[in-house]
């Protein structure tokens, strides 16, 4: 792998890795250290980071550092969908129960929610007292 990468755990013995150096997302096995490119985004997206995974829809979501936009794609499919343009986000996560995506907006210092396709966006939290909200994590088990 070239460049730096971000890791997102899945519910199996595999990890999803956003390779910002190659502009791709790979799946790597914890058993044998093998890896497979599951989203080759180099044509559209240059530096994926901040990834999260929806096992129910088999989709990966990520922020692109170069475009400051949020994208998603089915694993194994090169079709990339834009969820949000120019968001200045540093972190994102999804709630599989509510079918919502949440992300930080550094510029506005808010946490934003939307449907998984990016529709119905709204600021849900104003991060008062937080200079740069960089990560959001949904705890969908303990509600």
């Amino acid at each position: 792998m070239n460049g730096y990468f971000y890791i997102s755990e899945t519910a199996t013995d595999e990890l999803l890795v956003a390779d910002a150096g190659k502009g791709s997302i790979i799946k790597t096995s914890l058993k044998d250290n093998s890896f497979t490119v599951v989203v080759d985004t180099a044509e559209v997206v240059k530096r994926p980071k901040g990834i999260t995974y929806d096992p129910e829809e088999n989709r990966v979501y990520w922020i692109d550092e170069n475009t400051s936009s949020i994208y998603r794609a089915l694993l194994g499919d090169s079709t990339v969908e834009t969820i949000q343009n120019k968001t200045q986000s540093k972190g994102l996560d999804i709630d599989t129960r509510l079918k919502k995506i949440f992300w930080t907006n550094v510029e506005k210092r808010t946490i934003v929610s939307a449907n998984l396709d990016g529709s119905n966006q709204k600021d849900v939290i104003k991060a008062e007292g937080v200079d740069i909200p960089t990560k959001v994590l949904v705890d969908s088990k303990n509600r």
Side-chain angles (χ1 to χ4, degrees):
M1 291 183 289
N2 182 15
Y4 66 95
F5 54 91
Y6 297 83
I7 299 173
S8 178
E9 292 184 57
T10 61
T12 66
D13 61 345
E14 299 172 332
L15 297 176
L16 290 176
V17 179
D19 185 345
K22 291 184 180 177
S24 63
I25 297 173
I26 63 169
K27 180 170 56 175
T28 183
S29 170
L30 295 173
K31 289 182 180 176
D32 62 10
N33 204 29
S34 63
F35 67 92
T36 306
V37 174
V38 292
V39 180
D40 183 1
T41 61
E43 296 285 322
V44 178
V45 181
K46 300 299 181 194
R47 294 184 71 85
K49 68 172 188 175
I51 64 175
T52 190
Y53 175 65
D54 181 350
E56 293 176 12
E57 292 194 10
N58 199 34
R59 288 186 194 271
V60 63
Y61 295 75
W62 70 94
I63 302 162
D64 184 78
E65 189 171 57
N66 283 5
T67 64
S68 298
S69 298
I70 299 173
Y71 301 93
R72 74 176 183 173
L74 289 168
L75 290 185
D77 188 348
S78 61
T79 304
V80 174
E81 297 175 72
T82 302
I83 299 297
Q84 172 64 38
N85 282 313
K86 306 294 181 195
T87 184
Q88 299 300 317
S89 181
K90 299 287 183 189
L92 76 162
D93 203 3
I94 57 170
D95 186 326
T96 55
R97 290 165 126 186
L98 294 178
K99 302 290 186 198
K100 296 282 186 184
I101 183 170
F102 295 84
W103 66 85
T104 62
N105 184 314
V106 173
E107 194 171 61
K108 292 172 50 180
R109 295 189 331 196
T110 59
I111 305 299
V112 181
S113 77
N115 295 333
L116 292 177
D117 64 0
S119 64
N120 197 28
Q121 294 180 20
K122 62 182 175 181
D123 293 344
V124 292
I125 296 173
K126 174 73 172 159
E128 298 291 337
V130 177
D131 288 333
I132 303 171
T134 57
K135 179 66 180 158
V136 61
L137 181 63
V138 174
D139 182 1
S140 51
K141 290 183 183 177
N142 298 312
R143 290 186 213 226

Short mmCIF file of all heavy atoms in Angstrom, two decimals, residues 108-139:
data_model
loop_
_atom_site.label_atom_id
_atom_site.label_comp_id
_atom_site.label_asym_id
_atom_site.label_seq_id
_atom_site.Cartn_x
_atom_site.Cartn_y
_atom_site.Cartn_z
N LYS A 108 -18.58 24.88 10.30
CA LYS A 108 -19.75 25.33 11.07
C LYS A 108 -19.73 24.81 12.51
O LYS A 108 -20.58 25.18 13.30
CB LYS A 108 -21.04 24.88 10.37
CG LYS A 108 -21.28 25.58 9.06
CD LYS A 108 -22.44 25.00 8.26
CE LYS A 108 -23.70 24.82 9.03
NZ LYS A 108 -24.81 24.26 8.25
N ARG A 109 -18.80 23.91 12.82
CA ARG A 109 -18.71 23.26 14.13
C ARG A 109 -20.02 22.57 14.50
O ARG A 109 -20.57 22.76 15.58
CB ARG A 109 -18.26 24.25 15.19
CG ARG A 109 -16.88 24.75 14.97
CD ARG A 109 -16.33 25.56 16.08
NE ARG A 109 -17.33 26.27 16.86
CZ ARG A 109 -17.06 27.26 17.66
NH1 ARG A 109 -15.84 27.66 17.80
NH2 ARG A 109 -18.01 27.87 18.34
N THR A 110 -20.51 21.77 13.58
CA THR A 110 -21.75 21.05 13.80
C THR A 110 -21.57 19.57 13.47
O THR A 110 -20.61 19.17 12.83
CB THR A 110 -22.90 21.59 12.90
OG1 THR A 110 -22.50 21.46 11.53
CG2 THR A 110 -23.22 23.04 13.21
N ILE A 111 -22.55 18.78 13.92
CA ILE A 111 -22.71 17.40 13.48
C ILE A 111 -23.95 17.40 12.61
O ILE A 111 -25.01 17.90 13.01
CB ILE A 111 -22.90 16.43 14.68
CG1 ILE A 111 -21.75 16.58 15.69
CG2 ILE A 111 -23.05 15.00 14.18
CD1 ILE A 111 -20.38 16.27 15.16
N VAL A 112 -23.82 16.85 11.42
CA VAL A 112 -24.89 16.85 10.43
C VAL A 112 -25.41 15.43 10.29
O VAL A 112 -24.65 14.47 10.34
CB VAL A 112 -24.37 17.35 9.07
CG1 VAL A 112 -25.47 17.39 8.02
CG2 VAL A 112 -23.71 18.72 9.21
N SER A 113 -26.73 15.29 10.09
CA SER A 113 -27.30 13.98 9.78
C SER A 113 -28.00 14.07 8.43
O SER A 113 -28.42 15.14 8.00
CB SER A 113 -28.29 13.51 10.85
OG SER A 113 -29.52 14.17 10.73
N ALA A 114 -28.14 12.93 7.79
CA ALA A 114 -28.83 12.84 6.51
C ALA A 114 -29.25 11.39 6.30
O ALA A 114 -28.75 10.48 6.97
CB ALA A 114 -27.94 13.30 5.36
N ASN A 115 -30.14 11.18 5.35
CA ASN A 115 -30.43 9.82 4.91
C ASN A 115 -29.16 9.27 4.26
O ASN A 115 -28.27 10.04 3.88
CB ASN A 115 -31.59 9.81 3.92
CG ASN A 115 -32.88 10.27 4.56
OD1 ASN A 115 -33.09 10.12 5.76
ND2 ASN A 115 -33.76 10.84 3.75
N LEU A 116 -29.07 7.97 4.12
CA LEU A 116 -27.85 7.36 3.59
C LEU A 116 -27.52 7.79 2.17
O LEU A 116 -26.37 7.70 1.75
CB LEU A 116 -27.94 5.83 3.67
CG LEU A 116 -27.93 5.25 5.09
CD1 LEU A 116 -28.10 3.74 5.05
CD2 LEU A 116 -26.66 5.64 5.83
N ASP A 117 -28.50 8.29 1.43
CA ASP A 117 -28.23 8.80 0.08
C ASP A 117 -27.86 10.28 0.08
O ASP A 117 -27.66 10.88 -0.97
CB ASP A 117 -29.41 8.55 -0.84
CG ASP A 117 -30.66 9.31 -0.42
OD1 ASP A 117 -30.64 10.04 0.59
OD2 ASP A 117 -31.69 9.16 -1.12
N GLY A 118 -27.79 10.90 1.27
CA GLY A 118 -27.43 12.31 1.38
C GLY A 118 -28.61 13.26 1.43
O GLY A 118 -28.43 14.45 1.68
N SER A 119 -29.81 12.76 1.25
CA SER A 119 -30.99 13.62 1.28
C SER A 119 -31.39 13.94 2.72
O SER A 119 -30.95 13.27 3.66
CB SER A 119 -32.16 12.96 0.55
OG SER A 119 -32.56 11.78 1.22
N ASN A 120 -32.23 14.94 2.90
CA ASN A 120 -32.78 15.33 4.20
C ASN A 120 -31.68 15.69 5.21
O ASN A 120 -31.70 15.24 6.36
CB ASN A 120 -33.69 14.23 4.75
CG ASN A 120 -34.58 14.73 5.86
OD1 ASN A 120 -34.93 15.92 5.91
ND2 ASN A 120 -34.96 13.85 6.77
N GLN A 121 -30.74 16.53 4.78
CA GLN A 121 -29.64 16.95 5.65
C GLN A 121 -30.10 17.99 6.66
O GLN A 121 -30.88 18.87 6.34
CB GLN A 121 -28.52 17.56 4.82
CG GLN A 121 -27.86 16.57 3.92
CD GLN A 121 -26.75 17.20 3.12
OE1 GLN A 121 -26.23 18.24 3.45
NE2 GLN A 121 -26.40 16.54 2.02
N LYS A 122 -29.57 17.84 7.89
CA LYS A 122 -29.83 18.86 8.90
C LYS A 122 -28.75 18.82 9.96
O LYS A 122 -28.18 17.76 10.26
CB LYS A 122 -31.21 18.67 9.52
CG LYS A 122 -31.42 17.37 10.26
CD LYS A 122 -32.84 17.27 10.80
CE LYS A 122 -33.06 15.91 11.42
NZ LYS A 122 -34.39 15.74 11.94
N ASP A 123 -28.47 19.99 10.53
CA ASP A 123 -27.55 20.07 11.65
C ASP A 123 -28.28 19.53 12.88
O ASP A 123 -29.35 20.01 13.22
CB ASP A 123 -27.13 21.51 11.91
CG ASP A 123 -26.27 22.08 10.79
OD1 ASP A 123 -25.74 21.30 9.99
OD2 ASP A 123 -26.12 23.31 10.73
N VAL A 124 -27.70 18.52 13.53
CA VAL A 124 -28.36 17.95 14.70
C VAL A 124 -27.70 18.38 16.00
O VAL A 124 -28.34 18.35 17.04
CB VAL A 124 -28.43 16.40 14.63
CG1 VAL A 124 -29.36 15.96 13.52
CG2 VAL A 124 -27.06 15.79 14.46
N ILE A 125 -26.45 18.78 15.93
CA ILE A 125 -25.74 19.24 17.12
C ILE A 125 -24.85 20.41 16.74
O ILE A 125 -24.09 20.33 15.77
CB ILE A 125 -24.87 18.12 17.74
CG1 ILE A 125 -25.73 16.97 18.23
CG2 ILE A 125 -24.00 18.67 18.87
CD1 ILE A 125 -24.95 15.78 18.70
N LYS A 126 -24.93 21.46 17.49
CA LYS A 126 -23.98 22.57 17.38
C LYS A 126 -22.90 22.29 18.42
O LYS A 126 -23.19 22.23 19.61
CB LYS A 126 -24.67 23.91 17.64
CG LYS A 126 -23.75 25.09 17.68
CD LYS A 126 -23.25 25.46 16.30
CE LYS A 126 -22.48 26.78 16.38
NZ LYS A 126 -21.59 26.97 15.29
N ALA A 127 -21.69 22.09 17.97
CA ALA A 127 -20.60 21.67 18.85
C ALA A 127 -20.03 22.88 19.61
O ALA A 127 -18.88 23.27 19.43
CB ALA A 127 -19.52 20.97 18.04
N GLU A 128 -20.84 23.45 20.47
CA GLU A 128 -20.40 24.58 21.31
C GLU A 128 -19.23 24.13 22.17
O GLU A 128 -19.25 23.06 22.76
CB GLU A 128 -21.54 25.06 22.21
CG GLU A 128 -22.74 25.60 21.47
CD GLU A 128 -22.47 26.92 20.75
OE1 GLU A 128 -21.55 27.64 21.13
OE2 GLU A 128 -23.21 27.21 19.79
N GLY A 129 -18.22 24.95 22.23
CA GLY A 129 -17.06 24.63 23.05
C GLY A 129 -16.08 23.68 22.39
O GLY A 129 -15.07 23.32 22.97
N VAL A 130 -16.37 23.25 21.17
CA VAL A 130 -15.47 22.38 20.42
C VAL A 130 -14.89 23.19 19.27
O VAL A 130 -15.63 23.74 18.46
CB VAL A 130 -16.20 21.13 19.88
CG1 VAL A 130 -15.27 20.28 19.04
CG2 VAL A 130 -16.81 20.33 21.01
N ASP A 131 -13.57 23.29 19.22
CA ASP A 131 -12.93 24.08 18.15
C ASP A 131 -13.01 23.38 16.80
O ASP A 131 -13.41 23.99 15.81
CB ASP A 131 -11.47 24.37 18.49
CG ASP A 131 -11.32 25.38 19.60
OD1 ASP A 131 -12.23 26.21 19.77
OD2 ASP A 131 -10.30 25.33 20.31
N ILE A 132 -12.61 22.11 16.76
CA ILE A 132 -12.58 21.38 15.50
C ILE A 132 -13.15 19.98 15.72
O ILE A 132 -12.44 19.07 16.15
CB ILE A 132 -11.14 21.27 14.94
CG1 ILE A 132 -10.54 22.66 14.77
CG2 ILE A 132 -11.14 20.52 13.62
CD1 ILE A 132 -9.07 22.64 14.43
N PRO A 133 -14.45 19.78 15.46
CA PRO A 133 -15.02 18.42 15.62
C PRO A 133 -14.47 17.51 14.52
O PRO A 133 -14.73 17.71 13.35
CB PRO A 133 -16.53 18.65 15.47
CG PRO A 133 -16.66 19.92 14.70
CD PRO A 133 -15.45 20.74 15.00
N THR A 134 -13.69 16.51 14.93
CA THR A 134 -12.99 15.69 13.95
C THR A 134 -13.54 14.28 13.78
O THR A 134 -13.27 13.65 12.77
CB THR A 134 -11.50 15.56 14.30
OG1 THR A 134 -11.39 15.01 15.61
CG2 THR A 134 -10.80 16.91 14.23
N LYS A 135 -14.29 13.79 14.74
CA LYS A 135 -14.80 12.42 14.63
C LYS A 135 -16.17 12.34 15.27
O LYS A 135 -16.44 12.99 16.27
CB LYS A 135 -13.84 11.44 15.32
CG LYS A 135 -14.27 9.99 15.30
CD LYS A 135 -14.29 9.41 13.91
CE LYS A 135 -14.72 7.95 13.96
NZ LYS A 135 -15.23 7.48 12.69
N VAL A 136 -17.03 11.55 14.68
CA VAL A 136 -18.33 11.24 15.24
C VAL A 136 -18.48 9.73 15.20
O VAL A 136 -18.07 9.08 14.25
CB VAL A 136 -19.48 11.96 14.48
CG1 VAL A 136 -19.54 11.54 13.03
CG2 VAL A 136 -20.80 11.75 15.16
N LEU A 137 -19.00 9.17 16.27
CA LEU A 137 -19.18 7.72 16.35
C LEU A 137 -20.59 7.45 16.86
O LEU A 137 -20.99 7.95 17.91
CB LEU A 137 -18.17 7.10 17.30
CG LEU A 137 -18.22 5.60 17.46
CD1 LEU A 137 -17.92 4.91 16.13
CD2 LEU A 137 -17.22 5.15 18.51
N VAL A 138 -21.35 6.68 16.11
CA VAL A 138 -22.73 6.34 16.47
C VAL A 138 -22.72 5.08 17.33
O VAL A 138 -22.15 4.07 16.95
CB VAL A 138 -23.58 6.10 15.21
CG1 VAL A 138 -24.97 5.63 15.57
CG2 VAL A 138 -23.64 7.37 14.36
N ASP A 139 -23.34 5.15 18.48
CA ASP A 139 -23.51 4.00 19.35
C ASP A 139 -24.94 3.51 19.16
O ASP A 139 -25.86 3.89 19.88
CB ASP A 139 -23.25 4.40 20.80
CG ASP A 139 -23.37 3.21 21.75
OD1 ASP A 139 -23.64 2.08 21.29
OD2 ASP A 139 -23.20 3.42 22.96
#
